Amino acid sequence: MWIIPVLFLAFGYALVLFGMGRFVQPSHDRMRLKRLDNPAVVHTLSRGWSALTSAGNLERITDELSARRRGPRA
């Protein structure tokens, strides 16, 4: 019965990596979620992993999130 919690944690970790990979990629280069194929998903996961291991990219994620909260500038 230990396999269910392990799969749940692995799936959650993959979702975190995927989300980070999406935010690190420039918004003009992002594909829509419906258009993602297997190589694009793997590339997004690897981009999320590299963002997680390097602290410099995390600033870019937080800057983009705060810019989205403020809205577009006039």
Side-chain angles (χ1 to χ4, degrees), residues 3-33:
I3 193 73
I4 293 172
V6 170
L7 287 176
F8 183 73
L9 289 174
F11 184 69
Y13 188 67
L15 281 176
V16 168
L17 288 180
F18 185 80
M20 288 181 71
R22 291 280 292 180
F23 279 121
V24 169
Q25 188 174 9
S27 60
H28 59 84
D29 286 341
R30 286 186 200 141
M31 294 175 68
R32 297 182 64 135
L33 289 176

Side-chain angles (χ1 to χ4, degrees), residues 18 36-46:
F18 185 80
L36 287 176
D37 54 351
N38 287 342
V41 170
V42 170
H43 187 61
T44 303
L45 287 172
S46 67

